[in-house]
Amino acid sequence: MDRLTTPFGFYSTAADVLRSIDLTGKRIMVTGGAAGIGLETTRALLLAGAHVTLAVRRPDAVAAVVEELRGQARGAAVDVRSLDLADVRSVQGFVDGWSGPLHALINNAGIMALPERQLSPQGFELQFATNYLGHFALTWGLRDALTLANGARVVSISSSGHLFSPVILDDLNFDFVPYTPIGAYGQSKSATALMSVAITRHWADRGIVSNALNPGAIATGLQRHTGGLRTPVERRKTPEQGAATSVLLAASPLLEGIGGRYFEDCNEATSVTSRPTDFSGGYAAYAMDGENAERLWTISQALTGA
């Protein structure tokens, strides 16, 4: 399988990627779409004409942002719905309230490096529950809506952080393995990447494909527990640049029918055999492995009642 490349790269912005693309009539959902790279993803999609649904934990807290977006993208449609990814009951309620087709689902929301192990309402380690398991339940619940789109895409926001840990399939909640903030984050982001592999395998015949991505190093609220970015300045991106790969995978004709791959800097990434120390990127084979993806898919169905 040849590595997929595009005309875009490290410095490209979401607006660059969507220039000349008309998304009128497309319904796209962005979890956590009112802050950080999620906000810039939303903004670019709206300006391209898409109808965007923001799935956020506290709709009242993003009212001002939504009004700003409506002012910038006049005539574009944006709506906000409540979703707590850490609580499977909230996800189910969200899914029950959805009707009609969904052309792209961008699983963007996340938390990072919680200092102490915390558990979700259902008893799952909170980073795994929020970053991965909630998104799995959401995607599973919306599979019929994605099918109705006749060519839908699911975008999974992973991270170079996945290089800190594979998915510990026999101890997802760190009941035995000692909890570390970055190890738990890494596990959740490896799981996110594996989900894209499984979605494409299981649902390509429904017209649904999925890819994972590393958005790069962007200073946002995500790093509140880490003391800020450690990445060298020359390897950092603006939020507009960080959103570029997300919108590429969600909406660019260059990715039509492509699934089960891992991207960064708007191009397919390469596999690495050890964690780089120079912030050069790449993905670990364990995060795109078909057998790992299948096992996690089965476990996730059991955990969420899918």
Side-chain angles (χ1 to χ4, degrees), residues 210-256:
S210 180
N211 291 291
L213 69 101
N214 166 29
I218 306 102
T220 68
L222 188 65
Q223 296 94 26
R224 65 174 59 91
H225 297 300
T226 67
L229 291 176
R230 310 287 169 82
T231 313
V233 173
E234 65 273 13
R235 291 298 303 165
R236 300 179 188 181
K237 296 185 178 186
T238 66
E240 293 85 356
Q241 292 168 337
T245 309
S246 295
V247 300
L248 176 85
L249 300 186
S252 172
L254 298 172
L255 271 294
E256 190 70 37

Side-chain angles (χ1 to χ4, degrees), residues 3-227:
R3 176 173 172 263
L4 192 152
T5 60
T6 77
F8 306 105
F10 180 94
Y11 296 102
S12 299
T13 65
D16 294 334
V17 172
L18 293 184
R19 188 166 289 119
S20 302
I21 295 177
D22 183 4
L23 297 178
T24 303
K26 301 294 186 182
R27 299 177 76 194
I28 300 178
M29 184 186 301
V30 185
T31 66
I37 65 169
L39 173 57
E40 299 309 324
T41 299
T42 298
R43 194 190 317 274
L45 293 169
L46 286 171
L47 290 170
H51 179 157
V52 181
T53 295
L54 306 184
V56 300
R57 199 159 56 90
R58 292 178 52 214
D60 58 319
V62 304
V65 171
V66 173
E67 286 309 305
E68 176 194 343
L69 290 169
R70 286 175 175 150
Q72 290 179 335
R74 297 188 181 279
V78 55
D79 65 288
V80 186
R81 304 190 187 196
S82 177
L83 173 65
D84 182 354
L85 286 162
D87 190 338
V88 174
R89 295 166 301 184
S90 174
V91 176
Q92 187 59 55
F94 183 98
V95 167
D96 290 343
W98 184 268
S99 62
L102 180 62
H103 297 87
L105 170 59
I106 304 178
N107 290 322
N108 168 83
I111 56 177
M112 180 181 183
L114 300 182
E116 304 293 335
R117 188 180 82 137
Q118 298 181 45
L119 301 180
S120 73
Q122 284 76 42
F124 306 121
E125 189 278 316
L126 196 57
Q127 293 188 76
F128 183 78
T130 303
N131 297 348
Y132 167 69
L133 201 58
H135 280 129
F136 172 86
L138 178 67
T139 307
W140 180 274
L142 292 172
R143 66 194 184 283
D144 289 339
L146 292 162
T147 302
L148 286 174
N150 294 316
R153 304 182 190 183
V154 178
V155 179
S156 296
I157 312 298
S158 184
S159 165
S160 60
H162 86 273
L163 296 165
F164 283 91
S165 179
V167 179
I168 308 170
L169 289 161
D170 296 311
D171 189 23
L172 295 171
N173 294 320
F174 296 91
D175 294 313
F176 297 93
V177 175
Y179 174 87
T180 63
I182 197 65
Y185 179 70
Q187 169 175 256
S188 73
K189 289 304 183 178
S190 289
T192 298
L194 289 172
M195 182 168 67
S196 278
V197 175
I199 287 171
T200 303
R201 283 184 165 209
H202 285 267
W203 295 345
D205 60 352
R206 288 173 168 253
I208 304 168
V209 295
S210 180
N211 291 291
L213 69 101
N214 166 29
I218 306 102
T220 68
L222 188 65
Q223 296 94 26
R224 65 174 59 91
H225 297 300
T226 67

